Amino acid sequence: MSQVTPPDDRQALLFGLGAVALWSTVATAFKVALGYMSPLELMWLASLVSWALIGVLVARQGLLGQALRRGWRTAAWAGLMNPVAYYLVLFGAYDRLPGQEAMALNYTWALAMAFLAVPLLGHRLTRIDVLAGLIAYAGVWVIATRGAVFDVAFADPLGVGLALVSTLLWALYWLLNARDHRPPLVAQWQNFSVGVPVLTILLLLGPGLQWHGWAGLGAGVYVGLFEMGIAFVLWQMAVHKVSRTAKVSNLIFLSPPVSLLLLFFIVGEPILPSTLVGLVLILGGLGLQQWQKTPAAPTQS
C-alpha cells in the first residue's frame, strides 16, 4: 500500500509551505524597503511592527504573565544579537549587494552552525561536513567574485563580508540558545522588547525619525509582519506538528529559486550566471550535509 501522510504532517507541510512562501519574498521586500530608508530605519520600523504582532499573540495564548516575570536575563543578550546585531548586519549587506547575492550568501548559515558547534558544543566534524563546506563555500567564492574565480578582487568586499558575518551571528545565536527553555513566542517577544529600545536610541542618535512616504512605510511594515513575524510563527507551528523535522526542513530549498524570480520581475535585477552557479553549489553543500544527518525513515504501509 502507498504511504499515507498523517493529518498532523499534512497540516505541518501547509504551515511550512506558508512560511517558505513568505520567506521567498523577503529579499525583494528588503531591496524595495532599502530603496526608501537606511538599514537602521528599516530595522527599527520592522522590529516595532514585529514586537507588536508577537506581543498580541503572546497575550492571546495567555503567556504574557510568564513573559513579564522571567526570562529577561537571557533576553538581555539574546535581544542584542537578534534582532539588533543580526538584522543590522544583514540589512547592511542587502544595502550594498544585489538582493540575489545577499540572499544566496545568507544561506550558508547552516554550515557556519556546523563549524561553530565544534568549539562551542564539542561536536565533531565528519568528512561529509567538510566536503559539504568546501562545496558550499566554493559557491560563496563564485558569487563574491561574480564568476571571476581566479581574481581575488571582490566586486564589493564589505558587502560580502557583512553577508558572511550575518551567517555567523545567526548560527551563533541559535547555538547559544540551545539551552534556552523559554517558549518560542515568549523568547521572540522578549528579544524584541530588548531590541526596540536599543534601536530607538541608535536611531535618535543617528539619522532620526524621517518620513519616507506611504510606500516606504508599507515596505517596512511588510518586513516586520512577514519576515520577522508571521513566517516565524508558521515555521514554529510546522516544526512542532510534524512527525519528523526533515519533512519540513527540506522545504527551505524551495525558497531561493522563487526569490530569484521575484527579484527579477519586481526589483528588475538581472539574474547573474555567477549567482546561479554559486547558489547551486551552496544548496548542493547544504543538501549533502542534511542528507547525512537526516536519514530517511522507514516507509509506512
Side-chain angles (χ1 to χ4, degrees):
M1 295 177 62
S2 60
Q3 181 177 348
V4 177
T5 303
D8 279 355
D9 277 4
R10 286 197 295 267
Q11 193 175 41
L13 288 173
L14 289 175
F15 288 139
L17 285 170
V20 169
L22 292 177
W23 278 326
S24 297
T25 69
V26 163
T28 297
F30 286 173
K31 291 303 291 185
V32 171
L34 289 168
Y36 293 98
M37 62 188 79
S38 68
L40 179 56
E41 290 174 300
L42 174 58
M43 184 67 248
W44 177 81
L45 175 58
S47 295
L48 184 64
V49 170
S50 188
W51 172 80
L53 171 68
I54 296 176
V56 170
L57 295 176
V58 167
R60 284 179 63 87
Q61 292 191 13
L63 297 172
L64 187 57
Q66 177 183 345
L68 293 174
R69 285 194 303 271
R70 57 181 179 269
W72 292 99
R73 182 175 298 179
T74 301
W77 63 263
L80 293 178
M81 286 190 69
N82 174 36
V84 178
Y86 170 68
Y87 279 105
L88 280 178
V89 172
L90 181 64
F91 288 168
Y94 270 95
D95 198 36
R96 299 187 63 91
L97 296 173
Q100 60 190 284
E101 294 185 356
M103 178 271 298
L105 295 175
N106 188 247
Y107 265 81
T108 61
W109 70 267
L111 288 160
M113 180 181 289
F115 292 129
L116 286 174
V118 174
L120 293 178
L121 301 181
H123 291 185
R124 290 185 178 181
L125 288 178
T126 67
R127 284 178 290 183
I128 295 295
D129 286 324
V130 175
L131 178 60
L134 291 174
I135 293 172
Y137 285 111
V140 170
W141 185 265
V142 171
I143 293 171
T145 59
R146 293 186 182 169
V149 294
F150 298 109
D151 186 357
V152 294
F154 292 172
D156 190 327
L158 179 57
V160 171
L162 288 172
L164 293 178
V165 168
S166 75
T167 68
L168 294 176
L169 287 171
W170 190 246
L172 187 61
Y173 169 78
W174 286 110
L175 288 173
L176 293 176
N177 271 273
R179 296 179 178 87
D180 186 356
H181 300 297
R182 297 176 297 167
L185 274 181
V186 169
Q188 191 80 342
W189 183 75
Q190 288 180 334
N191 290 354
F192 277 105
S193 296
V194 170
V196 169
V198 173
L199 291 167
T200 302
I201 293 171
L202 293 176
L203 186 66
L204 294 176
L205 293 176
L209 294 172
Q210 300 181 39
W211 174 248
H212 296 283
W214 291 107
L217 177 65
V221 169
Y222 182 93
V223 171
L225 279 178
F226 296 107
E227 204 283 334
M228 300 178 184
I230 295 175
F232 171 83
V233 174
L234 288 175
W235 190 257
Q236 287 293 330
M237 293 170 68
V239 170
H240 287 162
K241 283 182 173 290
V242 77
S243 61
R244 192 163 58 92
T245 304
K247 289 185 177 182
V248 293
S249 63
N250 289 330
L251 294 175
I252 202 66
F253 290 95
L254 299 174
S255 183
V258 178
S259 296
L260 288 179
L261 291 175
L262 291 175
L263 285 166
F264 176 75
F265 286 111
I266 297 177
V267 180
E269 279 190 12
I271 300 175
L272 302 175
S274 57
T275 299
L276 289 176
V277 173
L279 188 57
V280 167
L281 290 169
I282 289 172
L283 294 181
L286 291 175
L288 181 63
Q289 182 198 43
Q290 192 169 40
W291 166 81
Q292 167 199 228
K293 295 182 179 178
T294 54
T299 301
Q300 297 176 349
S301 296

